Amino acid sequence: MAPKVDFTKCDGCKAQDEPLCEQVCPGNLMTLGENSKAYCRETSDCWDCMSCTKVCPVGAIETRMPYQLGYHGAKLIPLMGTNTITWTCIDINGNVERFRFKTRID
Ligand code: SF4
Ligand code: SF4
């Protein structure tokens, strides 16, 4: 499932040359629209690597979980810490679980 961008949060990376989500996408799929908000231009090519989701500095991107992992509507939202990443998983009933892992970033 392609990432979903919350347009109320995305600030276009403050008009820097290349937004962070565009820089990290291995498929060159993320780009800015005419409204200066990011979107995935070819959703069927997205392979859910979640790089764009993790790098967004304002938490504007959420990942819809693929049906193999969760029902349609379930989502994962990351929060990067200094040495950790916390994943918030929200299922289709609104139940929330959080999982925190150490990252390999020093
Ligand atoms: S990284 Fe986040 S804030 Fe920057 S353009 Fe992408 S979605 Fe918007
Ligand atoms: S999840 Fe990965 S492949 Fe899909 S748009 Fe984001 S960075 Fe690109």
Side-chain angles (χ1 to χ4, degrees):
M1 298 289 290
K4 181 175 177 236
V5 178
D6 182 340
F7 287 169
T8 65
K9 291 183 181 173
C10 173
D11 61 4
C13 282
K14 303 189 185 335
Q16 69 181 48
D17 281 349
E18 189 177 25
L20 294 174
C21 56
E22 189 174 324
Q23 288 181 37
V24 299
C25 179
N28 195 24
L29 302 174
M30 296 300 291
T31 189
L32 293 185
E34 289 181 2
N35 59 357
S36 298
K37 308 290 183 181
Y39 72 100
C40 177
R41 59 180 148 204
E42 199 60 63
T43 56
S44 61
D45 287 346
C46 171
W47 60 83
D48 301 314
C49 72
M50 300 187 188
S51 297
C52 59
T53 314
K54 289 187 284 188
V55 79
C56 177
V58 297
I61 309 177
E62 68 180 35
T63 295
R64 305 272 190 84
M65 292 178 69
Y67 72 89
Q68 296 95 332
L69 297 177
Y71 291 103
H72 179 71
K75 53 194 173 186
L76 276 173
I77 304 167
L79 178 65
M80 298 298 295
T82 307
N83 298 308
T84 60
I85 181 169
T86 303
W87 291 97
T88 300
C89 179
I90 306 172
D91 73 14
I92 56 172
N93 298 312
N95 298 311
V96 177
E97 282 189 84
R98 290 191 172 83
F99 306 90
R100 178 172 294 171
F101 302 97
K102 288 187 95 171
T103 63
R104 286 183 287 177
I105 302 169
D106 293 325

XYZ file of all heavy atoms in Angstrom:
836
model
N 0.847 -1.191 0.000
C 0.000 0.000 0.000
C 0.884 1.244 0.000
O 1.868 1.302 0.719
C -0.880 0.036 1.253
C -1.852 -1.130 1.369
S -3.182 -1.045 0.184
C -4.111 0.335 0.819
N 0.541 2.187 -0.791
C 1.353 3.400 -0.883
C 1.199 4.237 0.379
O 0.187 4.150 1.068
C 0.910 4.211 -2.090
N 2.214 5.041 0.677
C 2.114 5.907 1.848
C 1.025 6.952 1.657
O 0.730 7.375 0.542
C 3.486 6.563 1.909
C 3.988 6.505 0.506
C 3.436 5.238 -0.075
N 0.452 7.372 2.770
C -0.582 8.404 2.722
C -0.028 9.657 3.388
O 0.456 9.593 4.521
C -1.826 7.920 3.465
C -2.952 8.913 3.457
C -4.188 8.331 4.093
C -5.270 9.396 4.136
N -5.780 9.620 5.466
N -0.074 10.765 2.687
C 0.476 12.018 3.201
C -0.652 12.869 3.770
O -1.676 13.102 3.116
C 1.207 12.803 2.090
C 1.739 14.124 2.631
C 2.347 11.968 1.505
N -0.457 13.314 4.995
C -1.401 14.238 5.627
C -1.033 15.654 5.171
O -0.019 16.211 5.600
C -1.287 14.100 7.151
C -2.275 14.987 7.887
O -2.778 15.964 7.279
O -2.531 14.722 9.076
N -1.840 16.219 4.291
C -1.531 17.532 3.734
C -1.564 18.646 4.786
O -0.996 19.710 4.582
C -2.503 17.874 2.610
C -2.254 17.080 1.342
C -3.182 17.103 0.308
C -1.106 16.332 1.167
C -2.961 16.389 -0.864
C -0.874 15.606 0.013
C -1.800 15.638 -1.016
N -2.230 18.396 5.892
C -2.254 19.437 6.926
C -0.918 19.491 7.673
O -0.610 20.496 8.313
C -3.390 19.202 7.938
O -3.132 17.993 8.659
C -4.741 19.122 7.240
N -0.140 18.400 7.596
C 1.166 18.377 8.274
C 2.327 18.636 7.314
O 3.316 19.242 7.692
C 1.388 17.019 8.945
C 0.478 16.758 10.131
C 0.843 15.415 10.741
C -0.051 15.085 11.921
N 0.203 13.714 12.408
N 2.243 18.134 6.082
C 3.354 18.280 5.138
C 3.589 19.760 4.824
O 2.665 20.478 4.441
C 3.039 17.524 3.841
S 4.270 17.816 2.543
N 4.849 20.165 5.007
C 5.207 21.554 4.691
C 6.131 21.622 3.469
O 6.799 22.630 3.247
C 5.856 22.240 5.896
C 7.148 21.565 6.336
O 7.577 20.605 5.662
O 7.721 21.994 7.352
N 6.164 20.503 2.719
C 7.031 20.480 1.540
C 8.500 20.571 1.877
O 9.309 20.957 1.047
N 8.833 20.178 3.117
C 10.223 20.319 3.602
C 10.712 21.754 3.429
O 11.864 22.004 3.059
C 11.150 19.322 2.927
S 11.004 17.663 3.616
N 9.821 22.673 3.691
C 10.147 24.101 3.693
C 10.826 24.539 2.404
O 11.786 25.319 2.391
C 11.003 24.466 4.902
C 10.347 24.101 6.239
C 11.126 24.667 7.381
C 10.642 24.274 8.748
N 9.290 23.910 8.932
N 10.319 24.001 1.299
C 10.760 24.421 -0.043
C 12.228 24.168 -0.306
O 12.837 24.843 -1.137
C 10.418 25.898 -0.277
N 12.847 23.212 0.397
C 14.226 22.881 0.040
C 14.223 22.210 -1.334
O 13.197 21.714 -1.793
C 14.889 22.012 1.100
C 14.349 20.597 1.205
C 15.066 19.813 2.301
O 15.221 20.288 3.421
N 15.500 18.611 1.985
N 15.394 22.198 -1.974
C 15.482 21.734 -3.357
C 14.793 20.396 -3.582
O 14.033 20.218 -4.511
C 16.949 21.612 -3.789
C 17.522 22.970 -4.132
O 16.724 23.916 -4.223
O 18.750 23.081 -4.287
N 15.143 19.428 -2.726
C 14.555 18.109 -2.871
C 14.028 17.660 -1.507
O 14.807 17.467 -0.579
C 15.603 17.112 -3.390
C 15.025 15.782 -3.773
C 16.082 14.842 -4.340
O 17.279 15.013 -4.019
O 15.715 13.939 -5.073
N 12.734 17.500 -1.366
C 12.179 17.095 -0.073
C 12.792 15.775 0.395
O 13.207 14.940 -0.419
C 10.692 16.917 -0.362
C 10.441 17.625 -1.629
C 11.722 17.649 -2.395
N 12.835 15.585 1.699
C 13.480 14.400 2.261
C 12.840 13.109 1.779
O 13.526 12.138 1.483
C 13.443 14.478 3.792
C 14.275 15.600 4.405
C 14.044 15.678 5.909
C 15.745 15.388 4.095
N 11.518 13.086 1.676
C 10.860 11.844 1.253
C 11.233 11.515 -0.191
O 11.341 10.344 -0.566
C 9.349 11.938 1.427
S 8.571 13.318 0.580
N 11.459 12.542 -0.984
C 11.878 12.325 -2.374
C 13.315 11.819 -2.411
O 13.661 10.940 -3.204
C 11.750 13.638 -3.135
C 11.944 13.505 -4.638
C 11.663 14.820 -5.363
O 10.748 15.551 -4.933
O 12.355 15.116 -6.335
N 14.163 12.354 -1.530
C 15.569 11.943 -1.503
C 15.735 10.472 -1.166
O 16.592 9.792 -1.724
C 16.342 12.753 -0.456
C 16.579 14.193 -0.827
C 17.364 14.920 0.248
O 18.263 14.367 0.875
N 17.014 16.170 0.472
N 14.918 9.977 -0.238
C 15.173 8.615 0.252
C 14.421 7.540 -0.518
O 14.754 6.361 -0.397
C 14.830 8.471 1.753
C 15.680 9.400 2.584
C 13.364 8.668 2.012
N 13.429 7.900 -1.285
C 12.622 6.865 -1.941
C 13.470 6.110 -2.979
O 13.937 6.697 -3.949
C 11.402 7.459 -2.618
S 10.422 6.182 -3.457
N 13.658 4.814 -2.788
C 14.490 4.060 -3.723
C 13.852 3.915 -5.098
O 14.535 3.598 -6.073
C 14.648 2.696 -3.031
C 13.477 2.592 -2.130
C 13.150 3.986 -1.693
N 12.576 4.157 -5.199
C 11.901 4.026 -6.486
C 11.626 5.365 -7.153
O 10.943 5.416 -8.171
N 12.141 6.455 -6.539
C 11.904 7.794 -7.072
C 10.403 8.062 -7.248
O 9.965 8.598 -8.263
C 12.633 7.985 -8.401
C 12.717 9.435 -8.814
O 12.648 10.329 -7.978
N 12.834 9.682 -10.106
N 9.637 7.690 -6.244
C 8.177 7.784 -6.352
C 7.588 9.014 -5.677
O 6.541 9.499 -6.075
C 7.528 6.535 -5.722
C 7.956 5.195 -6.319
C 7.362 4.047 -5.516
C 7.543 5.114 -7.768
N 8.281 9.515 -4.646
C 7.726 10.648 -3.915
C 8.099 11.955 -4.614
O 9.224 12.133 -5.067
C 8.236 10.660 -2.471
C 7.808 9.467 -1.649
S 6.004 9.286 -1.505
C 5.588 10.692 -0.465
N 7.150 12.845 -4.676
C 7.399 14.142 -5.298
C 6.407 15.146 -4.732
O 5.473 14.775 -4.004
C 7.267 14.039 -6.837
O 7.723 15.249 -7.430
C 5.830 13.783 -7.256
N 6.623 16.401 -5.068
C 5.701 17.437 -4.609
C 4.682 17.748 -5.699
O 5.024 17.828 -6.878
C 6.453 18.727 -4.251
C 7.387 18.704 -3.048
C 7.935 20.107 -2.789
C 6.687 18.170 -1.806
N 3.453 17.943 -5.295
C 2.417 18.334 -6.233
C 2.368 19.843 -6.396
O 3.177 20.579 -5.806
N 1.432 20.302 -7.185
C 1.312 21.744 -7.419
C 0.974 22.505 -6.148
O 1.204 23.709 -6.048
C 0.245 22.004 -8.491
C 0.698 21.565 -9.880
C -0.348 21.846 -10.938
O -1.400 22.421 -10.605
O -0.099 21.474 -12.102
N 0.419 21.792 -5.176
C 0.087 22.426 -3.897
C 1.270 22.406 -2.927
O 1.117 22.732 -1.752
C -1.111 21.715 -3.258
C -0.833 20.231 -3.004
O 0.224 19.726 -3.344
N -1.807 19.548 -2.419
N 2.463 21.986 -3.435
C 3.692 21.901 -2.624
C 3.578 20.879 -1.496
O 4.258 21.002 -0.476
C 4.078 23.270 -2.051
O 4.349 24.170 -3.101
N 2.714 19.909 -1.677
C 2.588 18.809 -0.722
C 3.059 17.530 -1.408
O 2.891 17.360 -2.621
C 1.129 18.630 -0.276
C 0.472 19.904 0.230
C 1.030 20.343 1.560
C 0.297 21.581 2.076
N 0.815 22.064 3.353
N 3.634 16.639 -0.615
C 4.192 15.420 -1.191
C 3.105 14.392 -1.487
O 2.067 14.345 -0.815
C 5.217 14.827 -0.237
N 3.387 13.579 -2.496
C 2.506 12.447 -2.794
C 3.317 11.382 -3.524
O 4.417 11.658 -4.027
C 1.294 12.892 -3.636
C 1.613 13.228 -5.067
C 1.362 12.311 -6.089
C 2.188 14.452 -5.405
C 1.658 12.614 -7.410
C 2.489 14.756 -6.724
C 2.221 13.837 -7.728
O 2.523 14.128 -9.026
N 2.773 10.195 -3.554
C 3.413 9.085 -4.263
C 2.832 9.047 -5.668
O 1.635 8.859 -5.843
C 3.150 7.775 -3.527
S 3.827 6.329 -4.350
N 3.706 9.242 -6.661
C 3.177 9.423 -8.017
C 2.843 8.112 -8.729
O 2.183 8.142 -9.769
C 4.153 10.223 -8.861
C 5.526 9.638 -9.008
C 6.388 10.541 -9.875
N 7.783 10.477 -9.469
C 8.658 11.436 -9.701
N 8.279 12.525 -10.312
N 9.894 11.311 -9.317
N 3.317 7.004 -8.209
C 2.969 5.711 -8.842
C 2.757 4.689 -7.730
O 3.662 3.936 -7.372
C 4.103 5.280 -9.787
C 3.703 4.258 -10.807
C 2.596 4.736 -11.732
O 2.810 5.718 -12.481
O 1.512 4.140 -11.681
N 1.576 4.701 -7.197
C 1.317 3.912 -5.982
C 1.543 2.413 -6.200
O 1.953 1.709 -5.284
C -0.118 4.148 -5.485
O -1.027 3.842 -6.544
C -0.317 5.595 -5.064
N 1.295 1.940 -7.395
C 1.447 0.491 -7.621
C 2.911 0.065 -7.602
O 3.207 -1.121 -7.482
C 0.799 0.088 -8.948
O 1.424 0.767 -10.015
N 3.837 1.025 -7.723
C 5.261 0.695 -7.698
C 5.858 0.744 -6.289
O 7.012 0.384 -6.094
C 6.053 1.649 -8.593
C 5.832 1.359 -10.067
O 5.292 0.280 -10.383
O 6.190 2.216 -10.892
N 5.099 1.238 -5.335
C 5.603 1.344 -3.963
C 5.690 -0.046 -3.347
O 4.747 -0.821 -3.434
C 4.675 2.231 -3.136
S 5.061 2.214 -1.368
N 6.836 -0.353 -2.729
C 6.973 -1.672 -2.112
C 7.046 -1.578 -0.594
O 7.622 -2.434 0.075
C 8.145 -2.452 -2.690
C 9.503 -1.836 -2.547
C 10.313 -1.896 -1.459
C 10.225 -1.108 -3.551
N 11.483 -1.228 -1.710
C 11.464 -0.751 -2.986
C 9.934 -0.725 -4.858
C 12.410 -0.013 -3.712
C 10.880 0.002 -5.557
C 12.091 0.345 -4.980
N 6.487 -0.521 -0.038
C 6.303 -0.415 1.415
C 7.605 -0.482 2.200
O 7.633 -1.063 3.281
C 5.357 -1.518 1.930
C 4.004 -1.445 1.281
O 3.446 -0.342 1.194
O 3.492 -2.502 0.865
N 8.660 0.121 1.660
C 9.917 0.084 2.409
C 9.854 1.013 3.616
O 10.642 0.890 4.538
C 11.084 0.455 1.509
S 11.159 2.210 1.068
N 8.943 1.958 3.602
C 8.692 2.888 4.703
C 9.814 3.898 4.927
O 9.848 4.561 5.956
C 8.414 2.141 6.014
C 7.205 1.231 5.930
S 6.809 0.542 7.518
C 5.548 -0.632 7.053
N 10.736 4.011 3.990
C 11.806 5.001 4.146
C 11.247 6.413 4.211
O 11.667 7.227 5.047
C 12.782 4.898 2.973
O 13.392 3.653 2.953
N 10.298 6.719 3.343
C 9.716 8.064 3.335
C 8.968 8.329 4.636
O 9.020 9.427 5.190
C 8.793 8.248 2.136
S 7.424 7.077 2.067
N 8.304 7.306 5.123
C 7.521 7.434 6.349
C 8.425 7.782 7.522
O 8.103 8.628 8.349
C 6.787 6.111 6.625
O 6.187 5.665 5.427
C 5.748 6.273 7.700
N 9.597 7.122 7.570
C 10.497 7.312 8.701
C 11.249 8.632 8.624
O 11.578 9.219 9.639
C 11.490 6.147 8.771
C 10.844 4.850 9.201
C 11.847 3.745 9.439
C 12.370 3.163 8.174
N 13.210 1.967 8.374
N 11.529 9.100 7.430
C 12.389 10.285 7.312
C 11.619 11.602 7.462
O 12.218 12.628 7.768
C 13.138 10.279 5.956
C 12.248 10.743 4.808
C 14.407 11.108 6.023
N 10.322 11.568 7.278
C 9.555 12.833 7.308
C 9.701 13.512 8.665
O 9.354 12.930 9.692
C 8.082 12.575 7.009
S 7.107 14.092 7.119
N 10.208 14.740 8.687
C 10.482 15.402 9.967
C 9.234 15.865 10.706
O 9.310 16.193 11.892
C 11.350 16.605 9.557
C 10.988 16.872 8.145
C 10.632 15.554 7.531
N 8.098 15.902 10.029
C 6.885 16.376 10.701
C 5.837 15.273 10.863
O 4.707 15.537 11.252
C 6.271 17.586 9.955
C 7.227 18.762 9.961
C 5.887 17.218 8.524
N 6.232 14.041 10.572
C 5.311 12.922 10.770
C 4.076 12.991 9.893
O 2.980 12.607 10.308
N 4.271 13.454 8.662
C 3.112 13.645 7.783
C 2.728 12.385 7.005
O 1.675 12.355 6.385
C 3.403 14.773 6.796
N 3.606 11.376 7.043
C 3.347 10.202 6.205
C 3.025 9.008 7.077
O 3.732 8.711 8.036
C 4.569 9.866 5.322
C 5.040 11.112 4.570
C 4.230 8.753 4.351
C 6.284 10.886 3.732
N 1.949 8.335 6.743
C 1.641 7.086 7.427
C 1.575 5.969 6.410
O 1.325 6.196 5.217
C 0.323 7.178 8.202
C -0.885 7.300 7.313
C -2.175 7.395 8.094
O -2.172 8.001 9.191
O -3.191 6.873 7.609
N 1.841 4.780 6.876
C 1.823 3.618 6.000
C 0.552 2.833 6.243
O 0.245 2.473 7.375
C 3.051 2.720 6.278
O 4.227 3.451 5.927
C 2.990 1.443 5.457
N -0.182 2.624 5.181
C -1.323 1.728 5.278
C -0.782 0.312 5.210
O -0.016 -0.026 4.311
C -2.269 1.963 4.101
C -2.724 3.406 3.971
C -3.959 3.626 4.797
N -4.542 4.919 4.505
C -5.360 5.164 3.497
N -5.670 4.213 2.637
N -5.882 6.355 3.331
N -1.163 -0.497 6.138
C -0.612 -1.852 6.154
C -1.160 -2.671 4.993
O -2.362 -2.636 4.708
C -0.935 -2.530 7.475
C -0.196 -1.889 8.637
S -0.580 -2.625 10.214
C 0.186 -4.216 10.034
N -0.282 -3.393 4.310
C -0.758 -4.254 3.228
C -1.664 -5.355 3.790
O -1.542 -5.725 4.951
C 0.530 -4.832 2.638
C 1.562 -4.652 3.683
C 1.161 -3.469 4.506
N -2.560 -5.845 2.971
C -3.552 -6.797 3.466
C -2.910 -8.066 4.017
O -3.482 -8.749 4.859
C -4.574 -7.135 2.377
C -4.029 -7.995 1.272
C -4.078 -9.386 1.351
C -3.459 -7.426 0.130
C -3.576 -10.169 0.332
C -2.950 -8.201 -0.885
C -3.015 -9.572 -0.779
O -2.500 -10.340 -1.771
N -1.673 -8.354 3.562
C -1.019 -9.555 4.080
C -0.699 -9.401 5.575
O -0.551 -10.382 6.286
C 0.293 -9.826 3.332
C 0.114 -10.148 1.860
C 0.277 -8.914 0.994
O 0.013 -7.799 1.429
N 0.713 -9.116 -0.230
N -0.580 -8.138 6.038
C -0.210 -7.900 7.431
C -1.371 -7.396 8.275
O -1.387 -7.571 9.483
C 0.923 -6.859 7.502
C 2.236 -7.260 6.841
C 3.236 -6.126 6.918
C 2.805 -8.502 7.510
N -2.329 -6.751 7.659
C -3.442 -6.206 8.432
C -4.587 -5.882 7.494
O -4.427 -5.835 6.288
N -5.758 -5.676 8.069
C -6.920 -5.364 7.250
C -6.788 -3.973 6.653
O -6.065 -3.128 7.159
C -8.185 -5.442 8.094
C -8.541 -6.839 8.513
C -8.278 -7.273 9.806
C -9.122 -7.719 7.607
C -8.595 -8.560 10.196
C -9.450 -9.004 7.997
C -9.181 -9.422 9.289
O -9.486 -10.686 9.660
N -7.528 -3.730 5.567
C -7.556 -2.405 4.975
C -7.998 -1.400 6.041
O -9.007 -1.612 6.702
C -8.526 -2.374 3.789
C -8.615 -1.031 3.158
N -7.583 -0.502 2.410
C -9.589 -0.086 3.190
C -7.929 0.703 1.994
N -9.143 0.973 2.455
N -7.226 -0.348 6.192
C -7.552 0.652 7.207
C -6.599 0.616 8.375
O -6.483 1.581 9.115
N -5.903 -0.505 8.558
C -4.885 -0.567 9.613
C -3.682 0.259 9.162
O -3.383 0.332 7.969
C -4.468 -2.004 9.881
N -3.018 0.889 10.102
C -1.891 1.739 9.698
C -0.763 1.723 10.710
O -0.970 1.404 11.884
C -2.372 3.165 9.460
C -3.140 3.777 10.587
C -3.850 5.032 10.108
C -4.775 5.585 11.164
N -5.578 6.702 10.680
N 0.403 2.096 10.231
C 1.613 2.180 11.037
C 2.171 3.591 10.930
O 2.301 4.127 9.835
C 2.679 1.223 10.502
C 2.648 -0.225 10.941
C 3.682 -1.014 10.149
C 2.908 -0.345 12.421
N 2.500 4.170 12.077
C 3.063 5.521 12.084
C 4.340 5.496 12.911
O 4.311 5.121 14.083
C 2.063 6.522 12.695
C 0.732 6.453 11.936
C 2.626 7.933 12.677
C -0.406 7.164 12.629
N 5.481 5.865 12.328
C 6.738 5.851 13.072
C 7.026 7.181 13.758
O 6.566 8.238 13.317
C 7.771 5.590 11.978
C 7.199 6.278 10.794
C 5.691 6.204 10.917
N 7.769 7.103 14.837
C 8.281 8.306 15.485
C 9.756 8.053 15.755
O 10.107 7.155 16.524
C 7.530 8.580 16.792
C 8.016 9.797 17.576
C 7.767 11.089 16.799
C 7.329 9.865 18.939
N 10.607 8.838 15.078
C 12.042 8.653 15.239
C 12.515 9.368 16.493
O 12.218 10.543 16.693
C 12.792 9.219 14.032
C 12.477 8.550 12.712
S 12.896 6.805 12.655
C 14.677 6.872 12.808
N 13.252 8.642 17.342
C 13.902 9.249 18.493
C 15.387 9.351 18.216
O 15.832 9.098 17.094
N 16.160 9.701 19.224
C 17.598 9.830 19.022
C 18.228 8.483 18.679
O 18.959 8.363 17.712
C 18.255 10.392 20.296
O 17.583 11.591 20.650
C 19.725 10.691 20.054
N 17.913 7.484 19.462
C 18.453 6.143 19.212
C 17.358 5.093 19.073
O 17.628 3.900 19.169
C 19.387 5.724 20.349
C 20.579 6.647 20.447
O 21.265 6.879 19.457
N 20.821 7.171 21.621
N 16.155 5.545 18.910
C 15.046 4.596 18.859
C 14.062 4.983 17.758
O 14.031 6.117 17.285
C 14.259 4.587 20.193
O 13.739 5.910 20.417
C 15.102 4.134 21.360
N 13.274 4.005 17.392
C 12.115 4.281 16.555
C 10.915 3.635 17.244
O 10.988 2.492 17.705
C 12.294 3.756 15.115
C 11.068 4.081 14.272
C 12.599 2.260 15.091
C 11.256 3.835 12.779
N 9.837 4.399 17.347
C 8.621 3.885 17.962
C 7.547 3.785 16.892
O 7.229 4.775 16.227
C 8.134 4.821 19.091
O 9.180 4.960 20.048
C 6.888 4.265 19.768
N 7.036 2.588 16.719
C 5.975 2.366 15.740
C 4.638 2.343 16.458
O 4.456 1.591 17.415
C 6.175 1.036 15.016
C 7.349 1.024 14.102
C 8.588 0.542 14.370
C 7.397 1.517 12.762
N 9.410 0.713 13.275
C 8.698 1.304 12.275
C 6.451 2.125 11.919
C 9.100 1.667 10.996
C 6.845 2.489 10.649
C 8.153 2.257 10.189
N 3.707 3.163 16.005
C 2.342 3.114 16.514
C 1.494 2.362 15.495
O 1.426 2.751 14.331
C 1.778 4.532 16.712
O 2.606 5.218 17.654
C 0.347 4.485 17.223
N 0.898 1.298 15.949
C 0.055 0.472 15.084
C -1.400 0.691 15.499
O -1.747 0.522 16.671
C 0.447 -0.992 15.231
S -0.556 -2.101 14.229
N -2.213 1.099 14.555
C -3.634 1.342 14.829
C -4.441 0.372 13.976
O -4.359 0.414 12.737
C -4.020 2.799 14.503
C -3.090 3.768 15.252
C -5.484 3.058 14.873
C -3.252 5.216 14.855
N -5.190 -0.503 14.614
C -5.939 -1.480 13.825
C -7.281 -0.903 13.383
O -7.618 0.248 13.685
C -6.063 -2.820 14.563
C -7.039 -2.774 15.734
O -7.827 -1.815 15.840
O -7.018 -3.727 16.540
N -8.056 -1.693 12.690
C -9.302 -1.179 12.096
C -10.351 -0.855 13.145
O -11.332 -0.173 12.847
C -9.882 -2.175 11.075
C -10.107 -3.542 11.721
C -8.971 -2.281 9.853
C -10.843 -4.512 10.819
N -10.149 -1.312 14.376
C -11.083 -0.996 15.456
C -10.603 0.170 16.311
O -11.218 0.500 17.313
C -11.307 -2.232 16.338
C -11.928 -3.371 15.560
O -12.908 -3.167 14.840
N -11.359 -4.554 15.679
N -9.485 0.765 15.901
C -8.959 1.907 16.643
C -8.057 1.521 17.803
O -7.628 2.378 18.558
N -7.808 0.215 17.963
C -6.901 -0.216 19.033
C -5.467 0.207 18.697
O -5.043 0.074 17.538
C -6.958 -1.738 19.205
C -8.343 -2.198 19.605
O -8.940 -1.655 20.530
N -8.856 -3.176 18.900
N -4.784 0.722 19.687
C -3.440 1.259 19.461
C -2.413 0.434 20.230
O -2.597 0.141 21.417
C -3.358 2.732 19.936
C -1.947 3.269 19.768
C -4.357 3.592 19.168
N -1.366 0.039 19.545
C -0.231 -0.608 20.189
C 1.028 0.104 19.741
O 1.131 0.536 18.593
C -0.123 -2.086 19.793
C -1.093 -2.995 20.508
C -0.769 -4.453 20.235
O 0.108 -5.010 20.928
O -1.369 -5.017 19.313
N 1.992 0.188 20.659
C 3.253 0.841 20.310
C 4.414 -0.118 20.529
O 4.441 -0.877 21.495
C 3.450 2.105 21.143
C 2.474 3.209 20.744
C 2.812 4.558 21.350
N 1.942 5.590 20.771
C 0.714 5.847 21.207
N 0.215 5.169 22.223
N -0.025 6.779 20.627
N 5.375 -0.032 19.626
C 6.548 -0.899 19.685
C 7.789 -0.023 19.523
O 7.891 0.731 18.561
C 6.517 -1.933 18.551
C 5.238 -2.733 18.509
C 4.155 -2.283 17.753
C 5.114 -3.909 19.217
C 2.970 -3.011 17.709
C 3.942 -4.649 19.178
C 2.865 -4.196 18.423
N 8.689 -0.132 20.470
C 9.901 0.700 20.404
C 11.124 -0.188 20.197
O 11.291 -1.202 20.861
C 10.052 1.512 21.683
C 11.330 2.366 21.697
C 11.373 3.303 22.863
N 10.310 4.298 22.723
C 9.992 5.163 23.685
N 10.643 5.157 24.834
N 9.026 6.029 23.491
N 11.968 0.238 19.270
C 13.188 -0.505 18.973
C 14.368 0.449 18.958
O 14.219 1.624 18.619
C 13.099 -1.179 17.601
C 11.941 -2.118 17.460
C 10.767 -1.687 16.869
C 12.031 -3.424 17.922
C 9.689 -2.542 16.733
C 10.947 -4.291 17.792
C 9.778 -3.864 17.201
N 15.533 -0.080 19.305
C 16.755 0.702 19.159
C 17.108 0.767 17.671
O 16.911 -0.207 16.936
C 17.909 0.056 19.930
C 17.776 0.192 21.431
C 18.998 -0.293 22.126
C 19.896 0.889 22.403
N 21.016 0.548 23.266
N 17.612 1.886 17.227
C 18.057 2.007 15.847
C 19.557 1.798 15.783
O 20.248 1.777 16.808
C 17.727 3.390 15.263
O 18.449 4.370 16.019
C 16.239 3.678 15.329
N 20.045 1.660 14.562
C 21.486 1.480 14.395
C 22.167 2.808 14.114
O 23.325 2.859 13.754
C 21.744 0.493 13.267
C 21.439 -0.934 13.690
C 21.752 -1.902 12.595
N 20.752 -1.799 11.542
C 20.801 -2.490 10.419
N 21.773 -3.322 10.181
N 19.847 -2.345 9.516
N 21.403 3.910 14.262
C 21.999 5.221 14.072
C 22.669 5.653 15.368
O 22.060 5.637 16.420
C 20.920 6.257 13.683
C 20.207 5.802 12.422
C 21.537 7.638 13.535
C 18.960 6.607 12.119
N 23.943 6.018 15.301
C 24.647 6.450 16.519
C 24.374 7.896 16.814
O 24.075 8.677 15.959
C 26.148 6.232 16.359
C 26.493 4.745 16.292
O 25.822 3.950 16.987
O 27.429 4.411 15.570
S 9.363 14.633 4.052
Fe 7.360 15.074 5.014
S 7.268 17.307 5.149
Fe 8.891 16.801 3.671
S 7.843 16.873 1.671
Fe 7.824 14.729 2.392
S 5.850 14.492 3.463
Fe 6.232 16.697 3.252
S 7.342 3.402 1.076
Fe 9.393 3.278 0.107
S 9.001 2.779 -2.032
Fe 7.053 3.474 -1.176
S 6.988 5.674 -1.659
Fe 7.883 5.478 0.409
S 10.109 5.422 0.115
Fe 9.126 5.025 -1.889
